[in-house]
Amino acid sequence: MYSYYIFFFLFSISWTTALLAKPNMIVIMCDDLGYADVGFNGCKDIPTPHIDSIARNGITCTSGYVTYPVCGPSRAGFITSRYPQRFGFERNPQYQPNDPDMGLPREEKTIAELIKTTGYHCGIIGKWHLGAHIPTSHPMKRGFDEFYGHLGGGHFYFPEKLKIRRSQDATDEMESYRTWILKGYEPVPPRKYLTDDFSDEAVAFVERNRDCPFFLFLAYNAPHGPLEATPKYLNRFSHIDEPKRKTYAAMVSAVDDGVGRVLSELEKYKLLENTIVVFLSDNGGITTKSGSSNFPLRGNKGEVWEGGFRVPFAIQWQGVLPKGSVYEYPVSSLDIGTTIVSLSGAEIPQDKPLDGVNLIPFLTGKDKSPPHPSIYLRKYDNNVFAVRNGNEKLVISHKGASPQLFDLEKDISEVNDLAKQRPERVEELENVRKQWNNELIEPTFLGLIHRKGWGKKKKK
Ligand code: CA
């Protein structure tokens, strides 16, 4: 009996101490990783032991959503903790180094800008994709103290393919894939396979900043195309014959190695109990092109079906969050930033309230209610929507389509449209959707889809 009280007392001290100190946060975001392509979501042919260890030492969120089913707007939502549809970031931006308006609006604050006022050191390693106009849109103009990465929406992985020294000399998205990586504002000569390069930088970031509260956004561009992997990783997948799946698996495996190295670094400096680690993807897999899998979810990157914007999502905070549990209420990438902003004590601008919640009370079980009444999605150009409310989801899948209704608890693959059986719920959710839609604005810039010839160029 006494031992129980002593354990509880010590656990409480550890929990309280962790909450009093400002925790570090590392957000590891993959790019276009499918829902089913990590071990903690059931993947069998791509071992991801290090990524899985985050779920094993923390929580798997089975209904983790992002705010948009493609890269740029999803990242704009994550980085501001606000639905990007509120501020017109509703398309993948064009790569326009001379256009200050092509990217994250200057009026919006990033979570780095918010928490750095409380003493956080903020870094981003990897993909930015929130504007290529260096004087206004560079990450270090948007609250980050450090940047090591690329400004565009993707990148070649092999160093010999990076032929353009200066980021501002690339004239379009595909050219930007060939630029040298920026360290701060300086281009650095290509060094190695890009995923390994980013992992090296992440490990160095932790070592360098281990004595102050830090926020690291480790934004791997893997496994986004082009599909490129080195023999070191390809050789792990002799059991996969399909060429795309094989290379894709190798790319995921490279990320997994990197995640392992970062976690080891935290352990080395005894930072695991003072660091929240989140793993997620920025949108669903593009199964038709990359060999990824969103099973059992319907749809792909770009779509309002679950496969477009419900992603692998795991979070650990050792000593605070329970180990190895599963959380089923919907959570959002919006919550990640709001959590660290809340824990940092930073002030939230009254005129731009955050759309996320501090997840910690929910994940510890202190608050047993669902974190969000609804999860929303709009794609303005296609006039499509999704609203998840409880376990029901309203979908308007294409322009002019009648609303469909799915019960995700019984029908995770969105096969059985219940709109005719539950007309009152369709009406309720239509009202919820319209109310949210009234809070949004139109997109503020033209996107990649408006570039003549976009999508027809071959990646070489
Ligand atoms: Ca993406």
Side-chain angles (χ1 to χ4, degrees):
M1 194 65 180
Y2 283 118
S3 63
Y4 171 80
Y5 284 118
I6 289 167
F7 168 78
F8 189 74
F9 179 67
L10 290 175
F11 182 79
S12 301
I13 288 179
S14 148
W15 194 79
T16 312
T17 308
L19 287 185
L20 286 175
K22 283 183 178 155
N24 308 309
M25 180 179 261
I26 300 179
V27 178
I28 303 164
M29 183 180 278
C30 277
D31 196 348
D32 293 9
L33 179 69
Y35 186 79
D37 292 329
V38 289
F40 71 77
N41 274 357
C43 182
K44 299 283 185 237
D45 60 344
I46 311 173
T48 53
H50 302 106
I51 294 169
D52 296 347
S53 79
I54 298 171
R56 198 170 57 248
N57 289 309
I59 299 179
T60 301
C61 296
T62 54
S63 291
Y65 290 90
V66 290
T67 54
Y68 207 83
V70 302
C71 319
S74 170
R75 285 154 199 272
F78 160 69
I79 211 78
T80 56
S81 261
R82 285 163 50 76
Y83 276 107
Q85 295 92 341
R86 290 195 191 285
F87 51 85
F89 200 128
E90 209 169 331
R91 295 164 176 151
N92 262 334
Q94 299 174 25
Y95 191 88
Q96 297 279 10
N98 298 317
D99 185 351
D101 297 320
M102 181 63 76
L104 193 65
R106 290 182 291 287
E107 303 76 40
E108 293 296 320
K109 284 198 183 313
T110 66
I111 51 181
E113 280 176 283
L114 296 177
I115 64 174
K116 72 182 296 183
T117 60
T118 72
Y120 274 81
H121 185 84
C122 303
I124 164 169
I125 295 166
K127 164 169 162 174
W128 176 240
H129 208 195
L130 297 174
H133 181 253
I134 290 176
T136 57
S137 300
H138 186 283
M140 288 162 66
K141 298 290 184 189
R142 309 309 303 264
F144 286 91
D145 301 292
E146 296 187 24
F147 173 52
Y148 184 86
H150 56 88
L151 298 172
H155 225 73
F156 284 105
Y157 295 84
F158 294 135
E160 61 272 23
K161 291 194 175 180
L162 310 189
K163 303 281 193 195
I164 301 174
R165 190 172 182 280
R166 291 169 10 118
S167 292
Q168 52 272 55
D169 290 342
T171 57
D172 66 18
E173 180 68 15
M174 284 317 300
E175 273 193 19
S176 84
Y177 280 38
R178 295 185 182 281
T179 56
W180 285 16
I181 295 302
L182 287 172
K183 188 178 184 72
Y185 296 101
E186 293 300 315
V188 293
R191 300 197 285 219
K192 56 165 72 171
Y193 183 60
L194 196 55
T195 301
D196 294 341
D197 195 22
F198 289 157
S199 299
D200 287 354
E201 282 294 316
V203 167
F205 179 95
V206 171
E207 186 183 35
R208 207 165 50 238
N209 297 294
R210 64 186 186 271
D211 295 326
C212 67
F214 64 76
F215 168 64
L216 172 61
F217 179 26
L218 176 50
Y220 285 111
N221 60 311
H224 189 291
L227 293 175
E228 294 178 340
T230 54
K232 173 184 171 184
Y233 300 113
L234 284 166
N235 289 342
R236 297 176 182 177
F237 296 96
S238 56
H239 57 284
I240 300 180
D241 293 328
E242 203 284 310
K244 282 182 187 168
R245 178 75 177 169
K246 189 187 190 84
T247 308
Y248 173 87
M251 295 166 80
V252 174
S253 197
V255 170
D256 189 68
D257 275 23
V259 171
R261 292 179 58 205
V262 171
L263 293 171
S264 294
E265 198 71 4
L266 292 175
E267 189 172 20
K268 177 175 161 187
Y269 293 113
K270 300 190 172 15
L271 292 172
L272 282 170
E273 294 200 345
N274 193 35
T275 305
I276 302 169
V277 182
V278 187
F279 179 89
L280 77 165
S281 178
D282 69 335
N283 53 252
I286 181 161
T287 60
T288 47
K289 284 188 180 172
S290 72
S292 55
S293 169
N294 298 320
F295 182 84
L297 308 180
R298 178 175 178 177
N300 267 295
K301 172 181 180 176
E303 297 180 338
V304 295
W305 304 112
E306 294 289 278
F309 71 123
R310 181 163 164 178
V311 296
F313 196 121
I315 176 169
Q316 74 170 50
W317 187 4
Q318 295 194 18
V320 176
L321 298 180
K323 282 190 173 190
S325 61
V326 172
Y327 191 79
E328 293 184 334
Y329 282 139
V331 299
S332 169
S333 59
L334 296 163
D335 301 330
I336 300 167
T338 307
T339 298
I340 196 66
V341 169
S342 301
L343 295 171
S344 75
E347 272 189 42
I348 297 167
Q350 294 293 314
D351 59 332
K352 292 185 187 295
L354 307 186
D355 284 311
V357 300
N358 175 4
L359 280 178
I360 304 304
F362 296 98
L363 298 180
T364 54
K366 191 177 165 195
D367 189 331
K368 295 193 174 1
S369 60
H372 298 276
S374 297
I375 296 283
Y376 304 96
L377 175 59
R378 178 183 85 173
K379 285 185 75 185
Y380 180 87
D381 288 317
N382 309 81
N383 205 17
V384 296
F385 293 86
V387 177
R388 176 168 174 179
N389 181 280
N391 282 322
E392 289 170 305
K393 180 183 172 192
L394 181 97
V395 177
I396 297 177
S397 64
H398 57 274
K399 197 172 186 173
S402 301
Q404 294 177 273
L405 187 77
F406 300 93
D407 184 337
L408 296 177
E409 188 175 23
K410 300 189 181 87
D411 178 25
I412 195 172
S413 303
E414 300 173 277
V415 175
N416 302 309
D417 176 15
L418 303 173
K420 287 202 168 64
Q421 283 104 301
R422 300 181 190 174
E424 71 294 342
R425 282 295 282 156
V426 172
E427 193 181 337
E428 276 173 37
L429 292 191
E430 265 293 83
N431 287 334
V432 169
R433 177 185 76 78
K434 285 174 186 164
Q435 200 173 345
W436 180 68
N437 193 45
N438 286 339
E439 298 171 11
L440 312 179
I441 65 170
E442 293 183 9
T444 55
F445 55 80
L446 293 173
L448 270 183
I449 52 169
H450 301 101
R451 287 277 290 200
K452 207 175 168 191
W454 168 251
K456 291 178 184 161
K457 279 192 177 181
K458 283 251 190 302
K459 296 171 187 172
K460 287 181 185 168

